[in-house]
Amino acid sequence: MSEKPTYERLEQRVRELEKAGKALRPLLAERSSEIAQPFAMVLMICFLLSVCLFTGRVDAKDLSEEKLRQRNEELLSVLDAIPALVWIAKDPECHVITGNRYVNDLFRVANDANVSQTAAKMGQAVKIIHLKPDGTELQAEELPMQQSIARGEAVRNVEFSYLFPDGRQVFAIGNAVPLFDEDGRVRGSVGAFLDITKIKQASATIQKRTQVFLIVAIGFIVVMGVMLIVLARMWQTAKRSEEALRESEDRFRIAGKVAYDLIYEWDVASDALEWFGDIDGLMGYRKGEISRDINAWLDLINPEDRVKLENAVELHKTSIEPIQYEYRVRYKDGTYRHWNDHGLPLLDDKGCPYKWVGVCTDITERIQSEEEKKELEAKLQRAEKMEAMGLMAG
C-alpha cells in the first residue's frame, strides 16, 4: 500500500470527524439549558475544546501517518464520550451510515455497524420508523441528512422521533451538514442530534398533571357553583318563609290590638305562651311584666279555677279536642275578670299537637249583666208574690 493513499484516507476521516464536531457546536449552544447536567456539560466542554484544537486545516504531507492515526483516535474518543447521537453518511445515497457509541448503544448494534435504513431494507441493519412531531412518518427524502445532501447546505433544528421494533420511542432534535470532496461535490453528510426523550416525557407528565388539575379545578368550581345556587335558593325560600311568618304574626298582633279579644299561641314542647295584643296594658301591667310562660300565667288564675286549667294543660299536650274554658284572671289592681278561652291545635306529621292557637275574650260585663238580670228577676218575683199576698188579704 502506498503512503499517499493512506494519508488521504486518514485526512478524509479527520475531516469527517471535524465536520461532526462543527455540527454539534451550534446544537449544544442552543440546547445547553435543557441538558444542564454536570457530567454531560463537562464532556461537552471537553469535546468543544478538542474540536477547537483540531479545527485547523491540516496538510497530509506535513503529518506522519502515526500523527494522523492519533488525531483520528482522539476525535473518535471524543465523539464516543459525548451523550449525543452522531451519524456519518459515507456516500451521497446514504447507503452506509455509522454512528458513535451513543447511537450504537441506542440501536443495540456493534461498533461501526451500518445503521442506514437503506441497508435495513436489505436486512443488513435495524429497521426503525422515523416519526414527525405530529406522529406521521418521515419519508426517506425528508430525513435531515438526506435533505442536507440534496440541498448542499446545513439543515438545523429538525425534531423527530425513532420508533424501534420493540416499541421504544426516542425523541431527538439536531442538525445535519453535508460533506464535500476536493472538487466541491457532496460526498456524504454528518448529523448530530440530542436525545430529548426525558424532556418530552417530563413535558408530557407536566401537561397531563396540568390537565388533571384543570379538570379538578373546573369540577370544584362547578360543584361550588351548584352549591351556591342551592344555598341561594334555600336562603330565598327561608327568607320568604320568614317574611310570611312575620306577616302572619303582624296580622295576629294587629288583630289583637283592633279586636276586643286576645290571640295567643301556646308551644306544647317549651310551654312558651305568645300573646298577639297588648295583654300587659289591658291588665294594668307594664310592658313585658307578664311572663310568657304557661306556668307563670297559671299563677294569675283564680285558685278555684286553677286546678281545672292545670288539668287542661296536661290534657291538651296530647289531646286534640278543642279548648273551651271559662276562668277568672287577676288584674294588676287585684280584681278578677271573667275570660272565655277557645283554642284549636296545630298537628305535626304524626297527628300530635305541637302548638295551640286560641282566642281569649273578656266576658265580665256579660256575666255581670246576667247576674244583674237574675237579681232584677228575683226582685220582680218577690214583688209579684207580695202583690198576690196583698190581694188575697184584701
Side-chain angles (χ1 to χ4, degrees), residues 102-120:
Y102 195 94
V103 170
N104 296 329
D105 292 343
L106 184 66
F107 277 60
R108 299 174 182 175
V109 297
N111 292 336
D112 295 328
N114 185 8
V115 292
S116 169
Q117 292 306 291
T118 303

Side-chain angles (χ1 to χ4, degrees), residues 13 30 51 61-62 86 118 131 137-138 143 151 174 183 205 213 236 268 274 279 285-286 293 305 341 355 387-388 394:
R13 182 61 172 170
E30 294 171 1
V51 171
K61 297 181 180 179
D62 298 333
V86 180
T118 303
L131 299 177
E137 185 174 356
L138 271 170
L143 296 174
R151 299 177 185 177
D183 297 328
T205 302
F213 173 77
Q236 291 176 354
V268 174
E274 180 70 19
I279 187 173
Y285 292 92
R286 294 189 302 274
D293 182 79
D305 301 329
D341 189 345
K355 186 175 291 186
E387 184 180 358

Side-chain angles (χ1 to χ4, degrees), residues 16-32 35 40 43-48 51 75-88 100 102-103 154-157 173-177 190-195:
E16 292 174 354
L17 296 176
E18 288 178 347
K19 203 72 172 180
K22 292 178 180 179
L24 272 176
R25 271 186 291 178
L27 179 63
L28 295 175
E30 294 171 1
R31 297 289 168 171
S32 60
I35 54 172
L43 292 177
M44 292 175 190
I45 293 172
C46 293
F47 169 73
L48 292 175
V51 171
L75 289 175
L76 283 175
S77 299
V78 172
L79 290 178
D80 286 341
I82 62 173
L85 295 90
V86 180
W87 315 80
I88 299 177
N100 64 345
Y102 195 94
V103 170
V155 177
R156 303 187 182 279
N157 295 322
I173 185 171
N175 307 328
V177 294
V190 173
F193 303 90
L194 293 179
D195 185 349

Side-chain angles (χ1 to χ4, degrees), residues 135-171:
T136 59
E137 185 174 356
L138 271 170
Q139 301 302 319
E141 62 274 9
E142 296 178 318
L143 296 174
M145 296 177 67
Q146 281 81 345
Q147 286 190 0
S148 69
I149 292 175
R151 299 177 185 177
E153 60 183 16
V155 177
R156 303 187 182 279
N157 295 322
V158 180
E159 183 177 346
F160 59 93
S161 64
Y162 305 99
L163 183 60
F164 291 88
D166 58 2
R168 290 180 299 140
Q169 187 173 10
V170 177
F171 295 87

Side-chain angles (χ1 to χ4, degrees), residues 244-266 274-279 344 346 355-359:
L245 179 61
R246 187 182 300 111
E247 290 177 0
S248 177
E249 291 178 350
D250 291 341
R251 286 196 297 269
F252 275 125
R253 290 190 178 93
I254 293 172
K257 291 179 180 179
V258 173
Y260 293 100
D261 300 328
L262 288 172
I263 302 173
Y264 69 86
E265 281 186 358
W266 166 40
E274 180 70 19
W275 294 95
F276 299 96
D278 188 12
I279 187 173
L344 293 174
L346 299 177
K355 186 175 291 186
W356 285 84
V357 178
V359 177

Side-chain angles (χ1 to χ4, degrees), residues 2-255:
S2 63
E3 183 175 321
K4 184 176 180 180
T6 301
Y7 286 157
E8 290 177 353
R9 288 198 304 274
L10 290 174
E11 185 180 15
Q12 181 179 347
R13 182 61 172 170
V14 169
R15 289 173 183 172
E16 292 174 354
L17 296 176
E18 288 178 347
K19 203 72 172 180
K22 292 178 180 179
L24 272 176
R25 271 186 291 178
L27 179 63
L28 295 175
E30 294 171 1
R31 297 289 168 171
S32 60
S33 60
E34 298 179 353
I35 54 172
Q37 293 85 358
F39 180 70
M41 289 300 296
V42 170
L43 292 177
M44 292 175 190
I45 293 172
C46 293
F47 169 73
L48 292 175
L49 291 176
S50 300
V51 171
C52 292
L53 290 174
F54 296 104
T55 52
R57 180 72 177 175
V58 179
D59 189 352
K61 297 181 180 179
D62 298 333
L63 293 175
S64 65
E65 184 177 357
E66 178 62 22
K67 289 183 178 180
L68 285 174
R69 187 195 65 78
Q70 290 177 1
R71 184 176 182 186
N72 180 53
E73 182 181 0
E74 290 170 356
L75 289 175
L76 283 175
S77 299
V78 172
L79 290 178
D80 286 341
I82 62 173
L85 295 90
V86 180
W87 315 80
I88 299 177
K90 308 291 186 178
D91 55 278
E93 294 77 18
C94 296
H95 289 166
V96 179
I97 299 178
T98 58
N100 64 345
R101 183 179 298 276
Y102 195 94
V103 170
N104 296 329
D105 292 343
L106 184 66
F107 277 60
R108 299 174 182 175
V109 297
N111 292 336
D112 295 328
N114 185 8
V115 292
S116 169
Q117 292 306 291
T118 303
K121 293 180 180 178
M122 298 182 293
Q124 299 176 2
V126 178
K127 175 63 177 178
I128 60 174
I129 299 175
H130 298 77
L131 299 177
K132 299 178 183 179
D134 60 3
T136 59
E137 185 174 356
L138 271 170
Q139 301 302 319
E141 62 274 9
E142 296 178 318
L143 296 174
M145 296 177 67
Q146 281 81 345
Q147 286 190 0
S148 69
I149 292 175
R151 299 177 185 177
E153 60 183 16
V155 177
R156 303 187 182 279
N157 295 322
V158 180
E159 183 177 346
F160 59 93
S161 64
Y162 305 99
L163 183 60
F164 291 88
D166 58 2
R168 290 180 299 140
Q169 187 173 10
V170 177
F171 295 87
I173 185 171
N175 307 328
V177 294
L179 296 173
F180 300 94
D181 58 17
E182 293 180 354
D183 297 328
R185 295 189 298 270
V186 177
R187 63 178 181 83
S189 177
V190 173
F193 303 90
L194 293 179
D195 185 349
I196 59 172
T197 304
K198 292 183 178 180
I199 297 174
K200 284 285 187 179
Q201 292 173 348
S203 177
T205 302
I206 294 173
Q207 185 177 3
K208 185 176 180 180
R209 291 179 179 176
T210 302
Q211 292 175 351
V212 172
F213 173 77
L214 289 176
I215 292 172
V216 173
I218 293 172
F220 176 76
I221 292 172
V222 171
V223 171
M224 289 299 296
V226 172
M227 291 180 63
L228 287 174
I229 293 173
V230 172
L231 289 175
R233 290 183 177 178
M234 291 176 62
W235 180 77
Q236 291 176 354
T237 302
K239 186 177 181 181
R240 287 195 295 267
S241 299
E242 184 180 357
E243 290 176 352
L245 179 61
R246 187 182 300 111
E247 290 177 0
S248 177
E249 291 178 350
D250 291 341
R251 286 196 297 269
F252 275 125
R253 290 190 178 93
I254 293 172

